[in-house]
C-alpha cells in the first residue's frame, strides 16, 4: 500500500504542480504590456496569458490531491512527526497560500484593463512572487528526496 500511495503522490505532484509552476512562470511575460513603440498585434499574447491563467486555476484544484496523498503516504510510512515532513508540510501550505492569495489574483488583475504603467509593475511583482512559489516547491522536492534525519533507510 505504501508504494501505491507514494507513486500516486509523486504522480499527482508531477502532473498537477508541474503545470502550475510552468504556466505561472510563463504568465507574466505574456501579460506584460508591449513596450512603447513595439509593432505588431498583441492579441495573441493576451489570449496566451488568459490560457495560462486557466491552466493555473484548473491545476490548482487538481493539486489538492498532492497533500492529501502526501498525508496518507506519511501516515502509512509512520513518518508524520519527522522534521523533514513537517517542514515540507509547512512549505507546501505557504506555497498553496501564495498561489491562492497572490499568484492567481495577480494573474486575474493583469488580465483586466489597467493603465500600462500599473500593468508593467504588477507583472514584475507577479514574476517575483511566482519565483518564490516555484522555489518553495523546489525546496519541498529536495526535502522529499533527501529527508534529513530520516530513519527509514532511504
Amino acid at each position: 500500500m505504501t508504494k501505491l500511495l507514494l507513486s500516486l503522490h509523486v504522480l499527482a505532484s508531477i502532473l498537477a504542480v508541474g503545470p502550475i509552476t510552468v504556466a505561472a512562470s510563463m504568465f507574466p511575460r505574456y501579460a506584460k504590456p508591449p513596450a512603447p513603440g513595439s509593432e505588431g498585434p498583441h492579441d495573441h499574447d493576451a489570449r496566451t496569458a488568459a490560457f495560462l491563467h486557466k491552466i493555473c486555476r484548473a491545476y490548482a484544484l487538481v493539486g489538492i490531491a498532492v497533500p492529501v496523498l502526501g498525508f496518507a503516504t506519511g501516515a502509512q510510512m509512520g513518518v508524520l512527526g519527522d522534521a523533514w515532513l513537517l517542514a515540507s508540510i509547512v512549505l507546501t501550505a505557504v506555497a498553496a497560500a501564495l498561489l491562492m492569495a497572490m499568484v492567481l489574483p495577480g494573474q486575474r488583475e493583469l488580465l483586466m484593463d489597467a493603465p500600462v504603467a500599473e500593468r508593467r509593475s504588477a507583472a514584475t511583482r507577479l514574476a517575483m512572487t511566482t519565483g518564490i512559489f516555484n522555489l518553495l516547491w523546489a525546496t519541498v522536492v529536495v526535502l522529499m528526496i533527501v529527508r534529513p534525519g530520516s530513519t527509514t533507510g532511504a
Side-chain angles (χ1 to χ4, degrees):
M1 182 58 106
T2 301
K3 289 180 182 181
L4 174 64
L5 286 171
L6 183 57
S7 296
L8 291 173
H9 173 62
V10 170
L11 281 170
S13 300
I14 292 167
L15 297 175
V17 178
I20 296 170
T21 60
V22 172
S25 295
M26 293 172 62
F27 181 90
R29 175 185 181 271
Y30 289 99
K32 197 174 207 176
S38 66
E39 296 180 19
H42 299 286
D43 290 343
H44 172 72
D45 288 353
R47 286 192 308 269
T48 302
F51 180 66
L52 292 169
H53 176 61
K54 195 179 277 189
I55 289 171
C56 290
R57 278 193 346 249
Y59 280 92
L61 291 174
V62 175
I64 294 169
V66 176
V68 170
L69 290 165
F71 274 109
T73 304
Q76 184 72 28
M77 293 173 66
V79 295
L80 284 179
D82 287 8
W84 63 271
L85 187 58
L86 294 173
S88 294
I89 291 168
V90 168
L91 293 175
T92 297
V94 171
L98 196 61
L99 177 67
M100 301 310 289
M102 297 184 76
V103 174
L104 293 176
Q107 289 177 348
R108 223 177 1 263
E109 175 187 325
L110 278 168
L111 291 172
M112 297 179 180
D113 285 331
V116 171
E118 286 179 29
R119 287 181 58 213
R120 284 189 182 288
S121 175
T124 301
R125 279 191 314 277
L126 182 60
M128 180 189 67
T129 304
T130 300
I132 294 168
F133 171 78
N134 291 343
L135 183 61
L136 288 167
W137 279 118
T139 305
V140 170
V141 169
V142 169
L143 284 171
M144 291 287 145
I145 294 168
V146 175
R147 302 183 321 184
S150 172
T151 59
T152 60

